[in-house]
Amino acid sequence: MKRKTVKNEVEISGIGLHKGEQIKLTLKPNTDNSGIVFKRVDVTDKNNIIKVDYRNLFDLERGTNIRNKDDVKVHTIEHFLSSLSVFGITDILVEISGNELPILDGSSIKFIAKLKEAGTQELESEIEPVVIKEPVIFSDEKAGKYVLALPYDGFKISYTIDFNHSFLKSQYFEISPSLEEYIEKIARCRTFAFDYEIDFLKKNNLALGGSLENAIVVGKDGPLNPEGLRYPDEFVRHKILDIIGDLYVLGRPLKAHIIAIKAGHYVNAKLTELIAQTL
């Protein structure tokens, strides 16, 4: 497969989920085969380049975050990486004016729109996909969380969520996410939180930019968002959006059938680490 980058420079702005600050991104072509690279333009006294790499991940409790050796960080990259993955973009320079990506509407649809606007171009050099030849499994049995990659000639995800909640219980969804399928079935699915989590997050200076405009808030009887859900199973579909982005920290297309049960960013990262160790 040919490496791929964006054709034209585009900008996108919005509020960061956790700090609530206005963030500007500039997406630029990257033709030197250096992969997916963030540049913190607000940092001038340290190395401000952070490469997307599973070895640069940290603090995966509530998002996918990366840092460099100088501890310069970029938070909440999973929705953006998910969008890059379905476009097959392997190389891009992202100039960013803060330490987290804008949350936008809580999904990846606006990133998709910007990448469509930018267009894509193939580079001269090629990139080998990651091909799973033997099952790769990570489990947290105490929490009942499992994720595994099985040999498969293509890319497919089967995901199950299961919550002990009066409204949101079990959901299952499976997809082989081509760009068209992703846009139709996954890209508009928003991040979510339970109403009882909000006070904890705010008290810990998290989700300061969160609102009903960029997340589904689930109460005991259903979503508190006036417009309701975009799909009846929007929750599990969003988890698929997340895991596509989390796996793309490998920076390469993946040939595998991914099966996830009650997984999350930390569990997904452990799977990518195990996969990387097989290469």
Side-chain angles (χ1 to χ4, degrees):
M1 298 176 65
K2 292 286 189 182
R3 300 184 78 100
K4 191 185 290 185
T5 190
V6 290
K7 187 182 295 184
N8 302 301
E9 183 177 315
V10 293
E11 295 181 355
I12 187 166
S13 298
I15 295 293
L17 174 62
H18 288 304
K19 297 299 181 186
E21 297 171 351
Q22 187 74 19
I23 303 291
K24 177 183 171 184
L25 298 182
T26 305
L27 312 184
K28 295 185 172 185
N30 185 4
T31 58
D32 64 359
N33 299 338
S34 59
I36 302 165
V37 177
F38 287 89
K39 181 179 181 181
R40 285 278 304 274
V41 295
D42 58 314
V43 174
T44 57
D45 59 337
K46 297 180 182 178
N47 173 19
N48 63 357
I49 300 295
I50 310 104
K51 183 174 170 57
V52 171
D53 188 299
Y54 76 96
R55 290 163 292 197
N56 292 337
L57 293 169
F58 77 102
D59 187 15
L60 301 166
E61 184 65 30
R62 294 198 170 269
T64 301
N65 312 309
I66 54 173
R67 62 184 173 191
N68 64 18
K69 291 180 179 178
D70 286 355
D71 206 35
V72 178
K73 304 169 182 176
V74 180
H75 294 256
T76 323
I77 64 174
E78 60 270 20
H79 299 171
F80 179 63
L81 288 188
S82 188
S83 305
L84 294 182
S85 175
V86 293
F87 274 96
I89 293 171
T90 57
D91 297 81
I92 191 170
L93 174 63
V94 183
E95 294 184 349
I96 182 168
S97 67
N99 75 346
E100 63 179 330
L101 269 73
I103 190 62
L104 304 175
D105 74 339
S107 76
S108 63
I109 193 65
K110 293 186 178 181
F111 287 129
I112 291 286
K114 279 295 176 181
L115 291 170
K116 275 190 169 183
E117 181 185 330
T120 60
Q121 58 177 327
E122 286 189 344
L123 303 177
E124 286 297 316
S125 54
E126 296 187 348
I127 188 166
E128 288 290 328
V130 176
V131 179
I132 299 299
K133 297 177 181 176
E134 299 287 342
V136 182
I137 303 168
F138 179 80
S139 62
D140 179 352
E141 293 191 12
K142 189 175 181 181
K145 298 181 178 185
Y146 305 87
V147 65
L148 56 152
L150 301 178
Y152 182 74
D153 187 20
F155 183 46
K156 181 165 70 172
I157 299 172
S158 306
Y159 208 118
T160 301
I161 60 172
D162 185 28
F163 292 97
N164 182 20
H165 187 269
S166 55
F167 172 77
L168 179 54
K169 300 186 185 300
S170 296
Q171 292 185 350
Y172 171 83
F173 199 77
E174 181 174 278
I175 190 170
S176 296
S178 66
L179 177 59
E180 294 75 17
E181 283 274 291
Y182 180 94
I183 291 172
E184 179 186 348
K185 298 177 179 177
I186 301 296
R188 295 179 64 250
C189 298
R190 296 160 292 174
T191 193
F192 61 93
F194 296 99
D195 55 357
Y196 56 78
E197 296 179 288
I198 302 302
D199 283 345
F200 170 82
L201 291 169
K202 302 281 188 186
K203 287 175 182 175
N204 286 273
N205 287 320
L206 296 171
L208 300 180
S211 73
L212 294 177
E213 295 181 356
N214 54 38
I216 306 167
V217 178
V218 184
K220 64 182 179 65
D221 299 319
L224 303 184
N225 307 61
E227 76 279 15
L229 297 174
R230 294 175 178 175
Y231 306 86
D233 53 359
E234 186 171 355
F235 305 99
V236 69
R237 294 186 192 216
H238 181 79
K239 288 292 191 178
I240 289 176
L241 188 161
D242 276 347
I243 199 171
I244 291 171
D246 288 345
L247 292 167
Y248 209 54
V249 298
L250 292 167
R252 292 160 59 183
L254 179 62
K255 284 194 170 185
H257 180 189
I258 304 297
I259 299 174
I261 301 170
K262 296 174 63 176
H265 300 298
Y266 172 77
V267 173
N268 299 343
K270 297 302 288 186
L271 181 68
T272 58
E273 182 180 345
L274 292 174
I275 291 171
Q277 290 170 1
T278 69
L279 302 179

